[in-house]
Amino acid sequence: MLVTGGAGFIGANFVQHTLRNHPTYDITVLDALTYAGDRRALEPVADRVRFVHGDICDTDLVDRLVAECDVVVHFAAESHVDNSLHDPAPFVRTNVTGTFTLLEAVRRHDRRYHHVSTDEVFGDLALDAEQKFTEETRYDPSSPYSATKAASDMLVRAWVRSYGVRATLSNCANNYGPYQHVEKFIPRQVTNLLVGARPKLYGAGLNVREWTHVEDHNDAVHAILERGRIGETYLIGSGDERSNREILELVLEVMGQPRDAYEHVSDRPGHDLRYANDSTKLRTELGWRPSYVELRAGLADTVDWYRANEWWWKPHKERTEARYRSLGR
Ligand code: NAD
Ligand code: TDX
């Protein structure tokens, strides 16, 4: 199995998860170790994984690695919306050209391919709408990040239809859990509290996200790899929708702080209001169910992980906050 982006948040959890549940798998990780990649996230399985430091846009390297594997699981991406607003160029390169490079190699060598994508490709929903995203929802991305993820999904669909590439796609809701970069909402607030800084809420904090534990996301990816239908898209989500303010208040409560111990900062331009996935297809067709049904308990575990693993996140913290300060957030 070739796992791209395996030194990132979801990819590293996927590699650890896979080796726990399928100890005989032979895994190669391809990762460029950008600011978001950290090889130390693979430390618990370092002696069981082949790590290749390289770029998914490197045609020769990708061709060689794809030729050697049976299945490609593609996580590598530029993944942070705020960064994409500031400098979209690496998003177009990695998310679009990188996916194209992988698809061409997969086509040449007739390999099974799974494409990891996001609910953000659908744009956003009104806060008071009954409706959720489904596999049929029209694409309507808002940010440079989501536009490049949407473009990459379209490439995959075209390669299935035009060339018969054996691919599946998944679009997951917001993830949380261990090894998430401190630039993202939950780890940023948890680590702010751990270093004695105040959490930062964008705007009024009314935007809603559907929070899914990374282990549940990775269970779903395995279900799709094992039983998913070629050419199909599956939406993944816990069903647990919360406003950012609610999440922050939960984090503060879990960490024993007053519920109002945070500050409001300027809002994200074009900030999507609400994401919510209808994951009925994944649940009925493939029998997937989230095991993290209690968000509070999942958050408490995540807070414990950040408390116990300062060695992992501390080296990224100061640089991340310096970047936010320059953006006024
Ligand atoms: P991340 O930013 O934590 O990790 C991305 C990894 O990709 C890093 O290790 C980085 O070094 C690597 N990478 C970046 N550019 C590369 C390149 N050109 N070549 C090789 N490697 C490169 O991201 P994440 O949160 O783990 O997200 C993984 C995937 O899941 C992405 O495709 C993202 O769009 C998708 N996704 C994320 C979420 C979420 O909540 N985090 C939700 C749904 C979907
Ligand atoms: O300090 C903050 N304060 C704040 O209020 C940060 C960093 C974020 N926010 C808000 C913005 C969002 O409404 O919290 C929400 C979550 O923000 P992010 O963690 O940046 O996630 P989001 O923009 O929702 O995108 C995430 O989920 C979908 C991932 O980063 C994407 O890779 C994934 O595709």
Side-chain angles (χ1 to χ4, degrees), residues 56-57 74 76 93-104 113 115 148-149 151-153 155-156:
I56 55 167
C57 298
H74 177 35
R93 182 177 180 279
T94 288
N95 300 357
V96 185
T97 307
T99 299
F100 164 73
T101 307
L102 281 163
L103 284 171
E104 283 292 84
Y113 172 89
H115 186 72
T148 58
K149 291 299 291 186
S152 71
D153 292 12
L155 291 177
V156 179

Side-chain angles (χ1 to χ4, degrees), residues 47-101:
D47 54 343
R48 299 168 64 194
V49 171
R50 174 166 71 133
F51 185 85
V52 178
H53 182 192
D55 195 318
I56 55 167
C57 298
D58 179 338
T59 308
D60 294 339
L61 175 64
V62 165
D63 188 79
R64 184 156 50 79
L65 296 177
V66 168
E68 289 168 8
C69 75
D70 298 317
V71 49
V72 179
V73 187
H74 177 35
F75 291 96
E78 285 292 337
S79 70
H80 194 38
V81 174
D82 291 318
N83 291 344
S84 82
L85 292 162
H86 191 61
D87 180 14
F91 289 74
V92 176
R93 182 177 180 279
T94 288
N95 300 357
V96 185
T97 307
T99 299
F100 164 73
T101 307

Side-chain angles (χ1 to χ4, degrees), residues 196-249:
R198 280 167 84 83
K200 309 273 193 276
L201 192 62
Y202 291 177
L206 300 179
N207 307 60
V208 169
R209 300 292 184 262
E210 178 186 3
W211 291 98
T212 302
H213 196 277
V214 64
E215 286 293 305
D216 286 328
H217 182 178
N218 286 328
D219 271 340
V221 171
H222 271 287
I224 298 166
L225 282 171
E226 285 152 28
R227 304 187 293 284
R229 284 183 291 137
I230 298 301
E232 293 292 316
T233 292
Y234 296 87
L235 264 50
I236 308 169
S238 65
D240 198 337
E241 294 181 45
R242 309 283 180 131
S243 73
N244 294 338
R245 201 170 66 195
E246 262 181 280
I247 291 288
L248 183 50
E249 286 172 357

